[in-house]
Amino acid sequence: MNRTEFRDAFFPDCPIRNVLSRVGDKWSMLVLFTLESNNCQRFKELQRNIPDISQKMLAATLKILEADGLVRREAYAEIPPRVEYSLSDKGKSLLPLIDNLLVWASSNMDDIIASRRRYLLK
Amino acid sequence: MNRTEFRDAFFPDCPIRNVLSRVGDKWSMLVLFTLESNNCQRFKELQRNIPDISQKMLAATLKILEADGLVRREAYAEIPPRVEYSLSDKGKSLLPLIDNLLVWASSNMDDIIASRRRYLLK
DNA sequence: CGGAATCCGACAGGATACTG
DNA sequence: CAGTATCCTGTCGGATTCCG
């Protein structure tokens, strides 16, 4: 399951594999979510809002999200250059589903962590 | 963001990072989903239903999901041994959210792939 | 049958330096 | 400012072997 490939090689029609190959990496969902909280942001803003992402990974992530049509990129030929990123309609349609995951996580994380603590103590 | 740690080091309360650290790996969601489609399955069955997973990764994934309280493991002291895995209540509560993601993926993957093709041609 | 242990390769991703 | 280019490391995950 390679992010640069179109589909999972073994199960090209498996939605789990395909969706994970898009947003299952370390940064994609975080970038999408950051864009939603304040649609239209510049490269530097995104970096500030995700302080521990490297330039390399932010650039790479945005490139893939743009290639997949989830993020729109608008470059202005100025000096110094200005580039603005925003969610596409498709990107926006994905966010509510992520939000649901987050709601679930918020109300279950403590519980999950407690489970794991108990498990490790056994 | 290490799956063996409790929380993301930088942002311990960020739900995106925490949920991704649980099910954002290559196999977790697939195992959860496979368990849902036929609750209660043995190790060998799971392997058959996910043909390209290795023993090592299936065992490791199940261990983490069990530690997080998403999957229940029941071992019977027989010879040959029998072990049955099933979704816990918490695991079941997570599945509908994944389902939503999959519905989204099903109706958008072709579009996403087309986007990427266009992008690569530029 | 249901694993654990070991070895190993590939690749995601970090740090740093450089550029239009 | 918004990126590339390069180098380097850690981790994920595959293949194989062994065990109760």
Side-chain angles (χ1 to χ4, degrees):
Chain A
M1 193 159 44
N2 184 329
R3 282 173 78 211
T4 64
E5 285 169 12
F6 291 128
R7 294 176 182 274
D8 179 77
F10 251 76
F11 295 93
D13 294 325
C14 172
I16 300 187
R17 294 166 190 256
N18 286 325
V19 81
L20 274 184
S21 73
R22 303 296 140 183
V23 297
D25 67 303
K26 191 170 179 180
W27 300 112
S28 291
M29 288 181 91
L30 220 42
V31 168
L32 289 173
F33 196 74
T34 304
L35 277 175
E36 185 201 33
S37 72
N38 180 9
N39 201 19
C40 223
Q41 296 183 53
R42 306 180 59 173
F43 192 89
K44 249 299 166 18
E45 279 180 272
L46 286 169
Q47 267 202 94
R48 263 195 302 276
N49 290 327
I50 313 174
D52 54 340
I53 196 172
S54 63
Q55 287 179 339
K56 172 186 173 183
M57 289 318 297
L58 181 54
T61 303
L62 285 169
K63 211 172 200 170
I64 291 184
L65 292 176
E66 189 201 354
D68 286 346
L70 297 170
V71 158
R72 243 194 319 258
R73 184 195 129 109
E74 200 110 22
Y76 300 90
E78 308 172 356
I79 296 193
R82 178 165 58 100
V83 181
E84 292 189 343
Y85 293 93
S86 59
L87 288 176
S88 71
D89 288 343
K90 193 191 313 305
K92 285 179 187 164
S93 75
L94 173 58
L95 262 297
L97 311 181
I98 299 182
D99 284 340
N100 286 339
L101 261 180
L102 300 193
V103 171
W104 183 92
S106 302
S107 57
N108 284 283
M109 272 321 289
D110 290 338
D111 213 32
I112 285 183
I113 289 172
S115 287
R116 181 178 293 223
R117 284 225 167 84
R118 281 196 303 274
Y119 184 90
L120 291 179
L121 289 179
K122 286 196 308 191
Chain B
M1 194 159 44
N2 185 329
R3 281 173 78 210
T4 66
E5 286 169 11
F6 291 128
R7 294 177 182 273
D8 179 76
F10 251 78
F11 295 93
D13 295 324
C14 171
I16 299 185
R17 293 166 190 254
N18 286 324
V19 81
L20 274 184
S21 74
R22 304 295 142 181
V23 297
D25 66 302
K26 190 170 178 179
W27 300 112
S28 291
M29 288 180 92
L30 221 43
V31 168
L32 290 173
F33 197 74
T34 304
L35 278 174
E36 186 200 35
S37 72
N38 180 10
N39 203 19
C40 223
Q41 297 182 52
R42 305 179 59 173
F43 193 88
K44 246 318 185 324
E45 279 183 272
L46 286 169
Q47 267 203 94
R48 264 195 303 276
N49 290 328
I50 314 176
D52 54 340
I53 197 173
S54 64
Q55 288 179 338
K56 172 186 173 183
M57 290 317 297
L58 181 54
T61 303
L62 286 169
K63 209 172 202 170
I64 291 184
L65 292 176
E66 188 201 355
D68 286 345
L70 297 171
V71 158
R72 243 194 320 258
R73 183 195 132 111
E74 201 111 20
Y76 300 89
E78 309 172 356
I79 296 192
R82 179 164 57 101
V83 181
E84 292 188 343
Y85 293 94
S86 59
L87 287 178
S88 71
D89 288 343
K90 194 191 312 305
K92 284 178 188 164
S93 75
L94 173 57
L95 262 297
L97 312 182
I98 298 183
D99 285 338
N100 287 338
L101 261 182
L102 300 193
V103 171
W104 183 90
S106 301
S107 57
N108 284 282
M109 273 320 289
D110 290 338
D111 213 31
I112 285 183
I113 290 172
S115 288
R116 181 177 293 226
R117 286 224 167 85
R118 281 196 301 276
Y119 184 89
L120 291 178
L121 288 179
K122 284 196 308 190

